[in-house]
Amino acid sequence: MAYTTFAAIDVGSYEIGMKIFELSKNRGMREIDSIRHRLELGREAYTTGKISMEKVENLCQLLMSYKTIMEGYQVDDYRACATSAIRETRNCLLILDKIRVRTGLEVEVLSNSEHRFLGYKSIASNEESFQKIIQNPIIKPHTDRSMSRPAIIVVVVNGSVSYFIAFFTRKFSRKKQMQG
């Protein structure tokens, strides 16, 4: 059976994670490994507006170890994304360049909207769990049958908390609160 091996790297505010998946037409997507390491980039980013070169060096070493793991799994493709800690720094371009030069990895900085969208998409991609959320909402349905039943989806990521109120497939409200 033909399959593709894919790695997803998340450079977050307080944790750097990588998941490796096998993708195939017959079996779909199957997670084969998940690695997480704590590295508090957000503390400096949110208090000083930049990340020290010492932390950037630690990040590069960690990403090099992830690259070695990817080579061991013979990963066909990867996507590495950074979120608010990198995005909010004054030395963002310097950090991305240092990562590229030291590791050979290209890291994409997600906008706040892209980050939220991918979070919601990952929840919805697990259709069985998403249907349970919709059918057993936190907020009880309005007695008027013409109104859809609401569901609240809360996405908690290290740098922020977002919530999304949905009436089945119609978006109703969204709020983000930085936690840094």
Side-chain angles (χ1 to χ4, degrees):
M1 170 176 14
Y3 64 88
T4 300
T5 308
F6 181 82
I9 300 172
D10 176 21
V11 179
S13 300
Y14 296 96
E15 186 175 82
I16 315 305
M18 178 174 70
K19 290 189 176 193
I20 299 177
F21 301 92
E22 279 184 353
L23 310 170
S24 73
K25 274 189 171 182
N26 296 341
R27 295 178 66 189
M29 182 171 69
R30 183 174 74 94
E31 183 178 319
I32 56 176
D33 204 350
S34 178
I35 303 123
R36 299 181 336 181
H37 291 281
R38 186 172 181 113
L39 183 60
E40 293 190 19
L41 301 175
R43 185 178 304 230
E44 287 183 351
Y46 303 137
T47 58
T48 68
K50 58 187 251 178
I51 298 172
S52 69
M53 283 299 114
E54 180 183 348
K55 285 271 195 216
V56 173
E57 185 59 35
N58 292 341
L59 175 59
C60 288
Q61 289 173 3
L62 185 55
L63 290 173
M64 276 303 296
S65 70
Y66 282 8
K67 186 174 180 180
T68 301
I69 293 167
M70 287 174 17
E71 290 167 354
Y73 278 105
Q74 299 177 342
V75 167
D76 298 302
D77 200 6
Y78 76 94
R79 184 174 183 191
C81 297
T83 56
S84 65
I86 302 282
R87 181 179 64 240
E88 305 296 327
T89 61
R90 292 189 308 266
N91 60 340
C92 174
L93 295 177
L94 178 67
I95 293 167
L96 296 174
D97 189 54
K98 179 109 173 163
I99 291 169
R100 186 182 48 75
V101 169
R102 290 263 291 115
T103 69
L105 296 173
E106 294 289 337
V107 176
E108 169 188 0
V109 178
L110 297 178
S111 71
N112 184 40
S113 298
E114 290 168 318
H115 189 209
R116 273 196 325 266
F117 172 76
L118 289 175
Y120 300 143
K121 186 176 175 183
S122 70
I123 292 168
S125 72
N126 185 342
E127 191 172 329
E128 184 179 317
S129 295
F130 188 68
Q131 288 304 319
K132 285 180 185 176
I133 291 170
I134 296 299
Q135 295 190 11
N136 299 303
I138 295 169
I139 299 173
K140 294 301 176 198
H142 192 275
T143 55
D144 180 356
R145 294 285 182 212
S146 66
M147 292 191 67
S148 299
R149 295 190 326 175
I152 296 177
I153 299 169
V154 179
V155 178
V156 180
V157 291
N158 293 327
S160 66
V161 176
S162 298
Y163 66 84
F164 177 84
I165 301 174
F167 288 85
F168 285 105
T169 59
R170 185 170 61 88
K171 184 170 75 169
F172 180 73
S173 177
R174 172 180 74 217
K175 175 87 173 138
K176 177 183 181 195
Q177 176 65 45
M178 292 298 289
Q179 299 298 308

